Amino acid sequence: MTVDWPFLLTGWTFRPLLLLGVALILVLYRRGLAAGERPVTPQQPRRFALSLGLLIFALMCPINALVNDFLFMRIGQHLLAISLFPATFMGSDPLPILFAGLPGPWRFSLSKLASQHQATLKNLTPKGACWFAFVAAVWLWYDPALLALTTRSPFIYDLALATMIGGALLHWWHVTAARPHLHGRLPGLTHMGYTIAGAAPLKIPGLIFLIAVVPIYSFPSGRILGYAIDPLLSQQLGGMLVWALGGIVYSSTAFGFFAGWMGREASKPEQPRTHWDNEEKLIAPHLE
């Protein structure tokens, strides 16, 4: 495969089903906003629109046409689709707005179904299970045999992407504490650790790509803008992408949670010294 400047400008993939799905979601979101049933911050619609734009870009831009020729292009697409997209989508807390945009009978049926199976949904989606599902989905499709299968079958490749995106959305649902609130929110530092742990699915394979001295996958050699890219170099470039960009979303989000936690702690009213500096408080338990 030889990639030149014209291809980078014109090599877009037309995905009618994706565009139709995005259009439907936008219609529901607009109806939900117009219903005005819940207060919405100005940032929520912006994040929602950004998330859909990122998804369309990841799955339709020229990167998508090169995922079977260069491993680092595939990894770049994954960074967009299973990192940036779910973070911004769930960060916009979209589900209540989308629900409000549904036709009345659908809302009634879904509400009844959710109330009947709320306990089951809660048991199936604890934080640990969602993180494990995310990790398992990504690592499963990075298996050399399955990855080779995705290069031969567009359907299998789309299935792999859908599985990874679904796992990422579940993980970011807990990270952002988006609605519906089926589970309690983690304490500040634990929440920060859970967020950072979301980088593991790509960070660990990225490290393997960086230190491996032979190609793990059977990608062809090619040229991009005149530069020769062999399978090993493509693999190493993918590892560099993961370690340079793959953790930014998770670390920046975790830092934001940490800063918010510190701010809340600092804003707490100071306890008078007499509340803690007295003989009763300083006595060791069971000692008199």
mmCIF file of all heavy atoms in Angstrom, residues 169-190:
data_model
loop_
_atom_site.group_PDB
_atom_site.id
_atom_site.type_symbol
_atom_site.label_atom_id
_atom_site.label_comp_id
_atom_site.label_asym_id
_atom_site.label_seq_id
_atom_site.Cartn_x
_atom_site.Cartn_y
_atom_site.Cartn_z
ATOM 1 N N LEU A 169 -17.720 2.041 26.754
ATOM 2 C CA LEU A 169 -18.851 2.834 27.240
ATOM 3 C C LEU A 169 -19.267 2.399 28.641
ATOM 4 O O LEU A 169 -19.597 3.239 29.493
ATOM 5 C CB LEU A 169 -20.026 2.708 26.273
ATOM 6 C CG LEU A 169 -19.893 3.459 24.947
ATOM 7 C CD1 LEU A 169 -21.021 3.071 23.997
ATOM 8 C CD2 LEU A 169 -19.898 4.967 25.169
ATOM 9 N N LEU A 170 -19.256 1.094 28.896
ATOM 10 C CA LEU A 170 -19.589 0.606 30.237
ATOM 11 C C LEU A 170 -18.585 1.116 31.263
ATOM 12 O O LEU A 170 -18.953 1.549 32.368
ATOM 13 C CB LEU A 170 -19.621 -0.924 30.248
ATOM 14 C CG LEU A 170 -20.850 -1.594 29.638
ATOM 15 C CD1 LEU A 170 -20.660 -3.106 29.591
ATOM 16 C CD2 LEU A 170 -22.107 -1.246 30.417
ATOM 17 N N HIS A 171 -17.297 1.064 30.909
ATOM 18 C CA HIS A 171 -16.274 1.547 31.839
ATOM 19 C C HIS A 171 -16.440 3.047 32.095
ATOM 20 O O HIS A 171 -16.417 3.496 33.250
ATOM 21 C CB HIS A 171 -14.885 1.264 31.268
ATOM 22 C CG HIS A 171 -13.773 1.833 32.087
ATOM 23 N ND1 HIS A 171 -13.438 1.337 33.330
ATOM 24 C CD2 HIS A 171 -12.917 2.868 31.849
ATOM 25 C CE1 HIS A 171 -12.426 2.029 33.820
ATOM 26 N NE2 HIS A 171 -12.094 2.961 32.947
ATOM 27 N N TRP A 172 -16.636 3.832 31.043
ATOM 28 C CA TRP A 172 -16.761 5.278 31.218
ATOM 29 C C TRP A 172 -18.086 5.666 31.848
ATOM 30 O O TRP A 172 -18.208 6.765 32.409
ATOM 31 C CB TRP A 172 -16.563 5.984 29.883
ATOM 32 C CG TRP A 172 -15.112 6.146 29.571
ATOM 33 C CD1 TRP A 172 -14.353 5.362 28.758
ATOM 34 C CD2 TRP A 172 -14.227 7.142 30.093
ATOM 35 N NE1 TRP A 172 -13.046 5.795 28.747
ATOM 36 C CE2 TRP A 172 -12.952 6.893 29.550
ATOM 37 C CE3 TRP A 172 -14.398 8.216 30.958
ATOM 38 C CZ2 TRP A 172 -11.843 7.686 29.859
ATOM 39 C CZ3 TRP A 172 -13.305 9.008 31.267
ATOM 40 C CH2 TRP A 172 -12.051 8.748 30.717
ATOM 41 N N TRP A 173 -19.077 4.813 31.786
ATOM 42 C CA TRP A 173 -20.330 5.062 32.521
ATOM 43 C C TRP A 173 -20.036 5.164 34.010
ATOM 44 O O TRP A 173 -20.532 6.056 34.704
ATOM 45 C CB TRP A 173 -21.308 3.931 32.210
ATOM 46 C CG TRP A 173 -22.563 3.917 33.039
ATOM 47 C CD1 TRP A 173 -23.367 4.984 33.336
ATOM 48 C CD2 TRP A 173 -23.154 2.776 33.667
ATOM 49 N NE1 TRP A 173 -24.423 4.580 34.115
ATOM 50 C CE2 TRP A 173 -24.317 3.232 34.331
ATOM 51 C CE3 TRP A 173 -22.822 1.426 33.725
ATOM 52 C CZ2 TRP A 173 -25.145 2.373 35.047
ATOM 53 C CZ3 TRP A 173 -23.651 0.559 34.426
ATOM 54 C CH2 TRP A 173 -24.794 1.039 35.091
ATOM 55 N N HIS A 174 -19.193 4.255 34.510
ATOM 56 C CA HIS A 174 -18.825 4.309 35.921
ATOM 57 C C HIS A 174 -17.859 5.453 36.196
ATOM 58 O O HIS A 174 -17.946 6.112 37.245
ATOM 59 C CB HIS A 174 -18.188 2.984 36.344
ATOM 60 C CG HIS A 174 -19.172 1.863 36.486
ATOM 61 N ND1 HIS A 174 -20.185 1.885 37.412
ATOM 62 C CD2 HIS A 174 -19.282 0.675 35.830
ATOM 63 C CE1 HIS A 174 -20.889 0.758 37.335
ATOM 64 N NE2 HIS A 174 -20.362 0.013 36.377
ATOM 65 N N VAL A 175 -16.916 5.702 35.296
ATOM 66 C CA VAL A 175 -15.928 6.760 35.514
ATOM 67 C C VAL A 175 -16.617 8.114 35.633
ATOM 68 O O VAL A 175 -16.316 8.912 36.533
ATOM 69 C CB VAL A 175 -14.899 6.788 34.367
ATOM 70 C CG1 VAL A 175 -14.036 8.053 34.441
ATOM 71 C CG2 VAL A 175 -14.005 5.551 34.427
ATOM 72 N N THR A 176 -17.547 8.396 34.728
ATOM 73 C CA THR A 176 -18.208 9.704 34.706
ATOM 74 C C THR A 176 -19.396 9.788 35.652
ATOM 75 O O THR A 176 -19.958 10.878 35.828
ATOM 76 C CB THR A 176 -18.691 10.030 33.282
ATOM 77 O OG1 THR A 176 -19.618 9.019 32.848
ATOM 78 C CG2 THR A 176 -17.518 10.085 32.314
ATOM 79 N N ALA A 177 -19.785 8.650 36.240
ATOM 80 C CA ALA A 177 -20.973 8.599 37.106
ATOM 81 C C ALA A 177 -22.204 9.129 36.371
ATOM 82 O O ALA A 177 -23.045 9.838 36.930
ATOM 83 C CB ALA A 177 -20.743 9.390 38.391
ATOM 84 N N ALA A 178 -22.297 8.780 35.085
ATOM 85 C CA ALA A 178 -23.445 9.202 34.283
ATOM 86 C C ALA A 178 -24.692 8.416 34.699
ATOM 87 O O ALA A 178 -24.604 7.332 35.276
ATOM 88 C CB ALA A 178 -23.154 8.986 32.793
ATOM 89 N N ARG A 179 -25.846 8.987 34.395
ATOM 90 C CA ARG A 179 -27.097 8.287 34.692
ATOM 91 C C ARG A 179 -27.382 7.214 33.634
ATOM 92 O O ARG A 179 -26.918 7.345 32.490
ATOM 93 C CB ARG A 179 -28.245 9.307 34.745
ATOM 94 C CG ARG A 179 -28.152 10.213 35.980
ATOM 95 C CD ARG A 179 -29.116 11.360 35.915
ATOM 96 N NE ARG A 179 -28.657 12.367 34.958
ATOM 97 C CZ ARG A 179 -29.257 13.547 34.762
ATOM 98 N NH1 ARG A 179 -30.334 13.864 35.449
ATOM 99 N NH2 ARG A 179 -28.785 14.398 33.880
ATOM 100 N N PRO A 180 -28.099 6.165 34.049
ATOM 101 C CA PRO A 180 -28.789 5.929 35.320
ATOM 102 C C PRO A 180 -27.825 5.530 36.438
ATOM 103 O O PRO A 180 -26.857 4.805 36.214
ATOM 104 C CB PRO A 180 -29.740 4.766 34.987
ATOM 105 C CG PRO A 180 -29.051 4.025 33.892
ATOM 106 C CD PRO A 180 -28.345 5.063 33.074
ATOM 107 N N HIS A 181 -28.127 6.004 37.645
ATOM 108 C CA HIS A 181 -27.274 5.750 38.795
ATOM 109 C C HIS A 181 -27.693 4.455 39.489
ATOM 110 O O HIS A 181 -28.390 4.470 40.493
ATOM 111 C CB HIS A 181 -27.359 6.924 39.776
ATOM 112 C CG HIS A 181 -26.805 8.200 39.207
ATOM 113 N ND1 HIS A 181 -27.276 9.448 39.555
ATOM 114 C CD2 HIS A 181 -25.816 8.417 38.307
ATOM 115 C CE1 HIS A 181 -26.609 10.380 38.900
ATOM 116 N NE2 HIS A 181 -25.714 9.775 38.140
ATOM 117 N N LEU A 182 -27.240 3.350 38.933
ATOM 118 C CA LEU A 182 -27.550 2.055 39.545
ATOM 119 C C LEU A 182 -26.571 1.708 40.652
ATOM 120 O O LEU A 182 -26.869 0.872 41.510
ATOM 121 C CB LEU A 182 -27.498 0.946 38.480
ATOM 122 C CG LEU A 182 -28.511 1.038 37.335
ATOM 123 C CD1 LEU A 182 -28.344 -0.147 36.392
ATOM 124 C CD2 LEU A 182 -29.935 1.100 37.872
ATOM 125 N N HIS A 183 -25.386 2.325 40.636
ATOM 126 C CA HIS A 183 -24.335 1.990 41.596
ATOM 127 C C HIS A 183 -23.862 3.256 42.298
ATOM 128 O O HIS A 183 -23.897 4.348 41.729
ATOM 129 C CB HIS A 183 -23.152 1.324 40.891
ATOM 130 C CG HIS A 183 -23.538 0.146 40.053
ATOM 131 N ND1 HIS A 183 -23.618 -1.125 40.554
ATOM 132 C CD2 HIS A 183 -23.886 0.045 38.739
ATOM 133 C CE1 HIS A 183 -23.976 -1.961 39.601
ATOM 134 N NE2 HIS A 183 -24.153 -1.275 38.486
ATOM 135 N N GLY A 184 -23.416 3.098 43.535
ATOM 136 C CA GLY A 184 -22.867 4.220 44.268
ATOM 137 C C GLY A 184 -21.541 4.672 43.674
ATOM 138 O O GLY A 184 -20.818 3.897 43.054
ATOM 139 N N ARG A 185 -21.223 5.928 43.877
ATOM 140 C CA ARG A 185 -19.983 6.482 43.366
ATOM 141 C C ARG A 185 -18.818 6.093 44.273
ATOM 142 O O ARG A 185 -18.945 6.054 45.495
ATOM 143 C CB ARG A 185 -20.073 7.999 43.260
ATOM 144 C CG ARG A 185 -18.876 8.633 42.574
ATOM 145 C CD ARG A 185 -19.197 10.038 42.123
ATOM 146 N NE ARG A 185 -18.088 10.614 41.392
ATOM 147 C CZ ARG A 185 -18.162 11.735 40.693
ATOM 148 N NH1 ARG A 185 -19.308 12.383 40.628
ATOM 149 N NH2 ARG A 185 -17.111 12.208 40.046
ATOM 150 N N LEU A 186 -17.680 5.816 43.654
ATOM 151 C CA LEU A 186 -16.491 5.451 44.414
ATOM 152 C C LEU A 186 -15.946 6.655 45.168
ATOM 153 O O LEU A 186 -16.116 7.801 44.729
ATOM 154 C CB LEU A 186 -15.409 4.917 43.467
ATOM 155 C CG LEU A 186 -15.662 3.565 42.807
ATOM 156 C CD1 LEU A 186 -14.624 3.314 41.716
ATOM 157 C CD2 LEU A 186 -15.607 2.448 43.839
ATOM 158 N N PRO A 187 -15.258 6.421 46.304
ATOM 159 C CA PRO A 187 -14.577 7.535 46.986
ATOM 160 C C PRO A 187 -13.529 8.169 46.070
ATOM 161 O O PRO A 187 -13.079 7.560 45.094
ATOM 162 C CB PRO A 187 -13.927 6.850 48.194
ATOM 163 C CG PRO A 187 -14.661 5.569 48.376
ATOM 164 C CD PRO A 187 -15.117 5.156 47.012
ATOM 165 N N GLY A 188 -13.111 9.392 46.420
ATOM 166 C CA GLY A 188 -12.258 10.185 45.551
ATOM 167 C C GLY A 188 -11.024 9.487 45.014
ATOM 168 O O GLY A 188 -10.841 9.345 43.799
ATOM 169 N N LEU A 189 -10.143 9.003 45.902
ATOM 170 C CA LEU A 189 -8.891 8.397 45.454
ATOM 171 C C LEU A 189 -9.139 7.070 44.748
ATOM 172 O O LEU A 189 -8.457 6.733 43.776
ATOM 173 C CB LEU A 189 -7.945 8.208 46.644
ATOM 174 C CG LEU A 189 -7.377 9.495 47.249
ATOM 175 C CD1 LEU A 189 -6.490 9.179 48.445
ATOM 176 C CD2 LEU A 189 -6.599 10.289 46.207
ATOM 177 N N THR A 190 -10.107 6.308 45.227
ATOM 178 C CA THR A 190 -10.445 5.042 44.570
ATOM 179 C C THR A 190 -11.000 5.292 43.175
ATOM 180 O O THR A 190 -10.688 4.560 42.222
ATOM 181 C CB THR A 190 -11.468 4.265 45.412
ATOM 182 O OG1 THR A 190 -11.001 4.144 46.747
ATOM 183 C CG2 THR A 190 -11.709 2.883 44.834
#
